[in-house]
Amino acid sequence: MHKFGRRDVDDLDAFIKEVESQPSQTIGDVFVFVDECHRTQSGKLHRVMKAMMPNAVFIGFTGTPLLKTDRQTSLEVFGGYIHTYKFSEGVEDGVVLDLVYEARDIDQHLGSEDKIDAWFEAKTKALNDWQKLELKNRWSTMQKVLSSRSRMERVVNDIIFDFSVKPRLSSERGNAILVASSIYEACKYFSLFQKTPLKDRCAVITSYNPQAQDVSKEEIGANSETDKQFIYNTYIERLKDVEAKPGMTKTETYEERAKTLFIKEPANMKLLVVVDKLLTGFDAPPCTYLYIDKSMQDHGLFQAICRTNRLDGEDKDFGYIVDYKDLFKKVENAVAVYTSELDHSAGGVEPEVMIQDRLKKGRERLDSALESLDLLCEPVEPPKGELEHIHYFCGNTEIASDLQDREPQRVALYKAAVALVRAYANIADELEPAGYSSADIARIRERLNHYLNVREIVRKASGESLDVKAYEADMRHLIDTYIEADEPRKISPFDNLSLIDLIVKTGIAEAIASQLGGLKGNKNAIAETIENNVRRIIVKEHLNDPAYYEKMSALLDEIIAARKARAIEYEEYLKRIAELAKKVEAGHPEDMPEKLNTPGRRALYNNLNHNEDLALMVDGAVKTTRPDGWRGVQTKENTIKAALLPLLGNVAEVERIFLIIKKQNEY
């Protein structure tokens, strides 16, 4: 089953009650298989399913592990896992490809600080100080800075270069997806690609569908169109020659054609620019590269990067991830979740208890938020209308200092209103199960609307509201004109390491998986957990080659000390992780003599003071004297020890080296 419900239902709660009163009559045992059960089937639609067939057994399928953030709700709805198949197992079985990660950095700097300040002051002369600050806060965010035209042009040129030099892209057998942070940026990227060789072989696919009312009330600044107008105009231009198929809009027809070409004719659809769509459930074997210019995390990030790991012929060996947003630590987390062991037990708190506990806490937060606003507004004079609220929160307009003096009350009002909205949103779909009657629910919604209305009245009366649309085009011009970007540069030294090698085999994945249970948000605790797990790998291998892994321990100690001294920046962190992973995987230094070409010989060399001749003589003595099946048989082990004694000189040294020999499979 995929969906339960009717299209014409306005009040879903009433519809669920209607269905519950007359469930479908079924004969025999009914099993319902639910696809993508972690998404649309976990809320009200799940309640519809259960209401329609209350005695059925529901079995869910999902490509998404239960993360800590949604684990509680998911267990309430579906119960525990029946079976799991991890990403690393899929790679090992050859069902999907491993992934290769590359971080690229684009440095930015201001062209002229004086001109920026002069421009801003000229454009905001009519605003008060609060409004100027609000406008600055809206536009001086990292996201706005990263959306500058100069930086986006650098990203476009970087991708075009890859299409010229990367084998799968240049051969036209493979293609790519670019993930943008917003619909505006997706449209901007699309328009920039229209000036490159990818013109007509690139498409933009987002959740947007152009409607005239989207821009009919848009005010325009002095320079150009607003962001919303730019999005609308981009789509209208792109769709002007598209003829809608029966039952589909122009946008749907355009996107359907683009997806079909992307899957079946990669040479004719080389790049898709997306925001959220196609990042889950879209299987396109030719897709080889994913360019990420959007902050992502958890299963959303992992689902996205796995768009590139489908099998597609001998020339596709990996899926490639190019990251412009410094997401490696989040990639570590996501890969760890998808490769770690999951809790299959049915122990712990029963789902019925969990849901009651969560709803009880949700109700307490909502009641507390309403009570806080009631107390805050209690001093307002009767009849507590708009004017009385303005007088209390803004003061007397005839007294110049009143507005400033009443600022603490206004700040408290704004914060309390935000807390109320969040508390309500957390259980808005479950007010009745939380214990509220129909009359209570109507009263809560009325009070919510009342307090949000009060907040807006007070904001307008105090001059602490601002319609930023009128300034949007001017601020966009400022960002595009005065923020410059340098050429992208690669900062991740992971060329020959896949994510499985880099994160799973080093023990980092296990460390991150363990921290998800209790250390979330504590960066030092997470880092120390990773360090402890890497150290465990080193300790585990220590008997194979004590001398080498003692050096590895010293290297790890250096990394720990540097982190604690806050000396490792992001780029340096990536380098250190890569070096550590390579050394753990290799098990030997890069400058090892040529004749020491087996793990056993290298272990002997490392533990015999780097005496190459002695290591080779010991290796030869073991191989020429070892009896068949010698391990664990005292007389046979003594035969080997006797051959070693003339070479090593004393019994203690023979015993020390013999322990290392015993751990080497080649002997």
Side-chain angles (χ1 to χ4, degrees):
M1 292 288 184
H2 186 57
K3 298 289 181 189
F4 286 74
R6 290 202 308 254
R7 287 182 178 272
D8 57 345
V9 173
D10 293 323
D11 187 344
L12 193 54
D13 289 319
F15 173 66
I16 292 172
K17 286 184 179 179
E18 178 190 335
V19 171
E20 285 175 334
S21 67
Q22 45 184 351
S24 302
Q25 298 300 313
T26 56
I27 299 173
D29 296 328
V30 178
F31 292 83
V32 180
F33 295 90
V34 185
D35 193 20
E36 299 289 6
C37 66
H38 65 286
R39 296 169 66 192
T40 59
Q41 305 300 347
S42 61
K44 286 190 175 182
L45 287 174
H46 182 83
R47 289 169 56 198
V48 175
M49 288 193 288
K50 298 288 282 190
M52 293 181 78
M53 288 184 283
N55 298 318
V57 175
F58 290 85
I59 299 175
F61 294 85
T62 176
T64 304
L66 302 185
L67 302 180
K68 181 174 174 60
T69 51
D70 56 17
R71 177 179 173 82
Q72 188 179 48
T73 306
S74 299
L75 286 177
E76 290 168 7
V77 175
F78 301 111
Y81 290 106
I82 297 173
H83 174 72
T84 63
Y85 186 60
K86 299 190 289 293
F87 168 63
S88 51
E89 293 172 331
V91 172
E92 190 175 332
D93 292 345
V95 178
V96 293
L97 297 172
D98 204 347
L99 302 163
V100 172
Y101 169 89
E102 180 180 324
R104 296 181 188 174
D105 179 63
I106 301 176
D107 197 17
Q108 291 181 273
H109 47 86
L110 297 179
S112 171
E113 293 184 21
D114 292 339
K115 285 186 177 180
I116 289 174
D117 293 337
W119 173 274
F120 185 82
E121 287 303 319
K123 296 297 179 182
T124 59
K125 277 188 283 190
L127 303 181
N128 61 34
D129 290 343
W130 188 94
Q131 291 169 326
K132 287 182 181 180
L133 181 61
E134 179 72 5
L135 192 60
K136 285 180 181 178
N137 289 340
R138 291 285 187 96
W139 280 87
S140 61
T141 64
M142 180 60 68
Q143 184 49 51
K144 296 295 186 185
V145 170
L146 293 177
S147 70
S148 73
R149 182 173 58 213
S150 175
R151 180 183 176 281
M152 295 178 76
E153 285 174 345
R154 294 292 193 185
V155 171
V156 168
N157 291 336
D158 196 42
I159 293 172
I160 293 299
F161 180 77
D162 279 359
F163 270 92
S164 300
V165 300
K166 301 296 183 184
R168 279 278 296 184
L169 299 180
S170 60
S171 70
E172 299 193 331
R173 279 188 39 76
N175 44 25
I177 292 175
L178 167 61
V179 187
S181 288
S182 65
I183 295 176
Y184 169 80
E185 288 183 38
C187 291
K188 190 71 176 177
Y189 271 127
F190 175 75
S191 66
L192 290 171
F193 277 112
Q194 298 312 297
K195 304 169 187 175
T196 73
L198 293 192
K199 181 184 180 183
D200 299 328
R201 290 189 285 181
C202 166
V204 58
I205 296 181
T206 73
S207 59
Y208 183 73
N209 185 37
Q211 305 290 335
Q213 60 264 33
D214 293 344
V215 292
S216 59
K217 295 182 180 179
E218 286 286 285
E219 292 185 23
I220 190 163
N223 284 279
S224 62
E225 58 202 353
T226 64
D227 287 3
K228 193 175 285 189
Q229 287 171 323
F230 176 76
I231 295 168
Y232 177 80
N233 292 337
T234 300
Y235 264 82
I236 291 299
E237 174 65 24
R238 194 60 189 157
L239 300 176
K240 67 180 182 181
D241 297 324
V242 175
E243 187 173 333
K245 290 183 177 180
M248 300 173 70
T249 65
K250 278 191 169 189
T251 304
E252 290 169 339
T253 303
Y254 164 74
E255 291 181 354
E256 193 64 34
R257 178 180 180 275
K259 288 189 290 184
T260 301
L261 287 175
F262 191 79
I263 295 169
K264 296 182 177 179
E265 301 178 33
N268 292 320
M269 186 54 65
K270 293 190 169 187
L271 181 71
L272 296 180
V273 184
V274 305
V275 180
D276 293 308
K277 290 181 78 170
L278 307 189
L279 295 182
T280 58
F282 177 59
D283 286 334
C287 184
T288 309
Y289 279 77
L290 182 80
Y291 296 92
I292 304 177
D293 195 28
K294 174 184 179 179
S295 291
M296 305 174 74
Q297 62 185 4
D298 296 337
H299 52 70
L301 173 59
F302 192 80
Q303 293 273 9
I305 65 180
C306 284
R307 295 313 97 208
T308 67
N309 73 349
R310 303 305 191 257
L311 304 177
D312 189 40
E314 294 296 322
D315 62 335
K316 186 178 180 182
D317 47 1
F318 291 103
Y320 293 88
I321 315 303
V322 178
D323 169 23
Y324 296 106
K325 281 290 178 78
D326 296 350
L327 297 179
F328 180 68
K329 292 181 183 180
K330 292 179 180 177
V331 171
E332 283 182 323
N333 287 343
V335 172
V337 169
Y338 277 77
T339 55
S340 61
E341 291 298 331
L342 300 164
D343 181 13
H344 294 253
S345 69
V349 182
E350 289 296 319
E352 292 78 8
V353 178
M354 291 170 61
I355 191 168
Q356 289 304 319
D357 185 56
R358 179 173 60 79
L359 291 177
K360 180 183 175 184
K361 289 180 180 177
R363 176 170 179 154
E364 287 172 359
R365 279 195 294 267
L366 179 55
D367 290 344
S368 175
L370 285 166
E371 185 179 352
S372 295
L373 277 163
D374 289 343
L375 290 172
L376 187 62
C377 296
E378 190 175 5
V380 176
E381 295 288 336
K384 295 183 182 288
E386 292 184 5
L387 188 59
E388 288 77 22
H389 280 95
I390 291 171
H391 285 166
Y392 177 72
F393 286 103
C394 303
N396 189 336
T397 55
E398 295 178 359
I399 303 174
S401 61
D402 255 18
L403 186 65
Q404 183 66 31
D405 293 342
R406 304 284 176 118
E407 185 177 356
Q409 288 98 311
R410 294 196 301 278
V411 171
L413 173 68
Y414 301 155
K415 288 182 178 179
V418 169
L420 174 60
V421 170
R422 288 175 178 167
Y424 177 78
N426 281 337
I427 59 169
D429 292 336
E430 300 170 291
L431 291 173
E432 198 170 294
Y436 292 108
S437 66
S438 298
D440 290 334
I441 293 170
R443 188 165 56 253
I444 288 169
R445 288 171 177 165
E446 183 182 336
R447 290 169 72 193
L448 173 67
N449 291 332
H450 166 70
Y451 283 123
L452 293 181
N453 186 47
V454 167
R455 181 182 65 176
E456 290 310 305
I457 289 168
V458 171
R459 275 182 170 172
K460 289 177 181 176
S462 62
E464 291 172 347
S465 65
L466 175 67
D467 180 9
V468 296
K469 286 295 181 186
Y471 298 89
E472 188 174 282
D474 288 330
M475 295 305 293
R476 172 63 61 191
H477 176 80
L478 184 151
I479 293 284
D480 286 346
T481 304
Y482 296 112
I483 297 184
E484 301 170 1
D486 295 338
E487 282 283 345
R489 63 189 185 91
K490 180 180 170 185
I491 61 172
S492 56
F494 302 154
D495 290 348
N496 300 314
L497 286 171
S498 71
L499 287 183
I500 294 292
D501 291 331
L502 183 63
I503 297 172
V504 180
K505 293 182 180 178
T506 57
I508 291 174
E510 190 175 335
I512 294 172
S514 67
Q515 67 86 9
L516 289 174
L519 305 178
K520 187 170 182 183
N522 186 333
K523 292 184 179 178
N524 283 334
I526 292 169
E528 287 182 14
T529 308
I530 291 174
E531 289 151 8
N532 288 337
N533 271 255
V534 175
R535 189 184 296 283
R536 182 181 55 77
I537 297 292
I538 291 170
V539 170
K540 183 179 176 183
E541 297 294 332
H542 192 270
L543 276 179
N544 288 346
D545 191 346
Y548 177 69
Y549 281 100
E550 277 171 13
K551 290 181 183 177
M552 287 296 303
S553 295
L555 175 63
L556 182 62
D557 286 334
E558 277 184 41
I559 295 178
I560 293 170
R563 176 186 62 77
K564 288 179 178 175
R566 299 176 183 269
I568 302 180
E569 296 297 334
Y570 185 71
E571 183 175 356
E572 187 62 25
Y573 171 81
L574 296 180
K575 288 179 181 176
R576 295 282 187 100
I577 287 290
E579 289 167 7
L580 186 61
K582 287 174 183 175
K583 289 179 179 178
V584 169
E585 182 184 36
H588 63 84
E590 295 177 356
D591 58 351
M592 187 66 66
E594 188 176 344
K595 290 182 180 179
L596 304 177
N597 52 8
T598 70
R601 288 181 176 181
R602 289 192 290 265
L604 291 170
Y605 173 77
N606 285 330
N607 290 276
L608 291 170
N609 295 319
H610 292 176
N611 186 328
E612 181 180 354
D613 293 336
L614 181 57
L616 292 173
M617 285 190 288
V618 170
D619 172 75
V622 174
K623 288 178 177 175
T624 55
T625 62
R626 63 185 176 185
D628 185 47
W630 60 270
R631 283 182 175 83
V633 181
Q634 190 66 45
T635 54
K636 294 182 179 182
E637 289 186 356
N638 287 339
T639 301
I640 299 174
K641 291 178 182 178
L644 297 178
L645 186 59
L647 299 173
L648 300 176
N650 64 73
V651 173
E653 183 69 353
V654 168
E655 292 294 341
R656 184 179 74 86
I657 295 300
F658 185 76
L659 287 175
I660 296 168
I661 291 169
K662 201 171 181 179
K663 296 293 291 186
Q664 308 304 317
N665 292 330
E666 66 195 77
Y667 300 129

